[in-house]
Amino acid sequence: MPLWLNLFASFSWLIHVSRLPFDPKKLPDRDAGPPAQRDRARYGEFDQPEPLSVTQLTTLIKRVIADRTPSPVRVVGEISNFSDRKHWYLSLKDDANVISCVMWASAAGRCGFTPDRGQQVVATGRLDYYGPQGRLQMYIDQLEPVGQGALELRFRQLCEELRKLGYFDDAHKRPPPSFPQHIAVVTSAGGAALHDVVNTAHHRWPGVKLSLVDVRVQGDEAAQQIADAIDSLSAHHAALGIDAIILTRGGGSMEDLWAFNERIVAEAVYRCQLFVAAAIGHETDTTVAELVADLRCSTPTQAAARLVPDAAAEHHRIQQYAHRLRTALRRRVENARARWQTVAMHPLFRKPTETIDRHRQMLRHLEHRLGAAAKHRVADARDRLQTARHDLLCHDPANRARLARRELDEATRQLQNHLRQRLASERQHLHALQRQLQAVGPDSVLSRGYSYTTDEQGQVLRSVEQTQPGQSVLTHLADGKFRSTVTPPTGPPTSPPPAKPAAKRKSRRRAAETSQPKLFDELDS
């Protein structure tokens, strides 16, 4: 019976014992020996009258669990409520019960796989009571899957992670060297894989140089030694003259080959600057290092055969190339001889003078055509030059200025003539107006014997009613003026004639003469 089942049965027996009915006979005697005294000293007296505090009760529970449960305890169950928060928090359950579990980050880092919900696992750890939440918890130190090995699960999870990072992409894989001169073999010196590689390489190409890098290929330190060897070869390959690496070992179980499934080995192969051919185990075995390598081979012999060229095959290929080269050279010589014969039969070489004469005639004809064409081009250019000169003269600023000056002189002459004519016309009109003014002016009227009288202020007197006796008035004649004094008349006043009959006896001339005082009025004003 497995140990974990024994532990689980013991733990179940403790649970059943706690559910038995109370039996006073089974109480420990106070006068018992040292074990009973130790229990009372650790757990206290249960018949004490004072009640326990919550802290005292939780402390008692923790002590009982620590003393009465096996440590470590192994539990099998189904994972539920899994939470990865640096620390793992999960629950283990079966068909009837569930228990809370915690796995600290240090233990989770050593687990090698990430559990999924619903996965059956075997948990190894200890039980403890978590007082702040009033919860019984299992603190897991180790977790193993049920029904599938932990190594296989770690292998699948690492492959999935590296595939997402692009470690398996063909774009990162290098082509193998055509003719490697120096190959480093990373394997164990005592393994059969080394002999297979050496025998195959020397059989195929005796001149190839093989260098052994002796490392452990299984065990705890194997992965680190393999990774260090690959990194060292990659860093110093130029100085060592190494062209490629063969990473190999013989067959074995998955545990034996596990060093080639470690992440540090995969990363070392991925960042290696050399071509890496990996042949791990048998043909059915697959490791992470083979998937990351530039070339995956089923056996060490195949790795050497794929990387080292076959001397016999290369010799046969060289012979084929030599035969093809001789055939090609013979064909080139025959083609050159045929071309030489054809050239020798050409008229140029049989009668060179005829060819020269024919080309001389052609040259003369072309020379004549060239001269005619040149003359035609010159004449055409001369015509275009004359046209351009005429256009330039038409648009010459000096010519345009002379034309504008002529137009300006003509316009000035026409303006002067127009001004003379207009001035003469206006002068004649002015003389007419002057004669008309002299005809109707005040001086002309006065020269015909008329006069007009004004007062001292210069106002024209038109009626006797504007005068007063003794008033001094001024009479204006054509050749001067004199002053007089108004005296009243001595005779009876005479009434003026009726206005209408007097108006009927007036003639045109009379009307014109009576209208003269209006000119005087205008003069006074």
Side-chain angles (χ1 to χ4, degrees), residues 15-75:
I15 296 176
H16 284 292
V17 168
S18 62
R19 294 180 181 177
L20 293 176
F22 177 73
D23 188 0
K25 296 180 180 180
K26 294 184 178 181
L27 289 175
D29 188 7
R30 294 184 178 180
D31 298 331
Q37 295 177 0
R38 287 196 301 270
D39 291 343
R40 285 195 299 269
R42 181 169 178 80
Y43 305 125
E45 298 289 343
F46 287 96
D47 56 353
Q48 56 186 358
E50 292 81 5
L52 297 175
S53 65
V54 176
T55 302
Q56 291 175 342
L57 180 60
T58 56
T59 303
L60 179 61
I61 294 174
K62 290 173 67 69
R63 290 176 180 175
V64 171
I65 292 175
D67 295 341
R68 301 302 181 184
T69 58
S71 181
V73 61
R74 302 187 68 197
V75 180

Side-chain angles (χ1 to χ4, degrees), residues 180-219:
Q181 301 297 321
H182 189 181
I183 300 175
V185 183
V186 180
T187 186
S188 175
L194 176 63
H195 299 285
D196 295 340
V197 171
V198 172
N199 293 334
T200 304
H202 286 172
H203 176 74
R204 292 176 62 86
W205 193 273
V208 68
K209 181 180 179 181
L210 299 177
S211 295
L212 171 65
V213 181
D214 187 13
V215 295
R216 298 186 61 179
V217 293
Q218 71 181 64

Side-chain angles (χ1 to χ4, degrees), residues 31-32 45-46 52 73 77 80 96 113 115 125 188 193 195 204 208 210 223 232 325 355 357 390 399 432 462 473 495:
D31 298 331
E45 298 289 343
F46 287 96
L52 297 175
V73 61
S80 65
F113 73 100
S188 175
H195 299 285
R204 292 176 62 86
V208 68
L210 299 177
S232 179
L325 181 60
T355 305
D357 293 339
H390 179 268
N399 292 336
R462 293 181 175 86
V473 295
S495 59

Side-chain angles (χ1 to χ4, degrees), residues 160-431:
E160 185 65 24
E161 181 181 357
L162 295 181
R163 182 176 290 106
K164 292 180 180 179
L165 295 176
Y167 279 40
F168 301 159
D169 294 346
D170 294 336
H172 297 290
K173 298 184 182 298
R174 298 175 179 83
S178 300
F179 294 93
Q181 301 297 321
H182 189 181
I183 300 175
V185 183
V186 180
T187 186
S188 175
L194 176 63
H195 299 285
D196 295 340
V197 171
V198 172
N199 293 334
T200 304
H202 286 172
H203 176 74
R204 292 176 62 86
W205 193 273
V208 68
K209 181 180 179 181
L210 299 177
S211 295
L212 171 65
V213 181
D214 187 13
V215 295
R216 298 186 61 179
V217 293
Q218 71 181 64
D220 296 336
E221 300 178 359
Q224 187 64 47
Q225 289 186 10
I226 295 171
D228 294 342
I230 295 174
D231 290 337
S232 179
L233 291 173
S234 176
H236 303 91
H237 71 279
L240 298 175
I242 297 176
D243 301 321
I245 297 175
I246 295 179
L247 179 63
T248 184
R249 68 147 288 163
S253 63
M254 191 172 188
E255 290 79 3
D256 296 337
L257 305 179
W258 188 252
F260 298 90
N261 291 325
E262 293 290 348
R263 186 185 183 92
I264 57 174
V265 176
E267 292 177 348
V269 173
Y270 180 76
R271 63 174 174 263
C272 182
Q273 300 179 10
L274 292 171
F275 178 84
V276 179
I280 312 300
H282 300 295
E283 185 174 359
T284 57
D285 297 326
T286 302
T287 61
V288 175
E290 292 177 295
L291 298 176
V292 180
D294 300 314
L295 177 63
R296 178 179 179 269
C297 302
S298 58
T299 60
T301 301
Q302 186 185 18
R306 295 285 298 275
L307 193 57
V308 178
D310 188 2
E314 294 299 328
H315 180 69
H316 179 67
R317 184 183 303 174
I318 291 174
Q319 289 180 348
Q320 288 182 345
Y321 286 158
H323 176 70
R324 291 171 59 183
L325 181 60
R326 286 192 296 268
T327 303
L329 288 175
R330 187 181 302 109
R331 188 178 296 112
R332 290 289 296 274
V333 170
E334 292 176 356
N335 292 336
R337 182 180 293 109
R339 290 182 60 190
W340 176 78
Q341 293 176 356
T342 303
V343 170
M345 296 298 295
H346 197 273
L348 176 63
F349 296 96
R350 290 189 296 107
K351 296 180 180 181
T353 56
E354 294 181 358
T355 305
I356 295 174
D357 293 339
R358 186 173 63 253
H359 284 84
R360 183 181 292 113
Q361 293 177 0
M362 186 181 298
L363 180 61
R364 290 174 181 174
H365 176 67
L366 293 176
E367 184 179 0
H368 175 70
R369 290 182 58 186
L370 180 61
K375 292 179 181 179
H376 177 71
R377 291 289 298 272
V378 170
D380 183 64
R382 185 179 293 110
D383 294 340
R384 288 189 285 107
L385 181 61
Q386 292 295 336
T387 304
R389 183 181 292 110
H390 179 268
D391 295 340
L392 181 61
L393 291 175
C394 293
H395 295 85
D396 187 13
N399 292 336
R400 297 189 67 178
R402 285 194 294 271
L403 293 176
R405 189 176 295 107
R406 292 176 184 176
E407 293 177 359
L408 180 61
D409 294 341
E410 182 64 22
T412 303
R413 186 181 59 79
Q414 293 179 2
L415 180 61
Q416 290 176 354
N417 294 335
H418 181 71
L419 289 176
R420 281 194 219 91
Q421 295 175 2
R422 183 68 181 272
L423 184 59
S425 177
E426 293 296 331
R427 185 179 290 109
Q428 292 176 3
H429 182 64
L430 181 60
H431 291 165

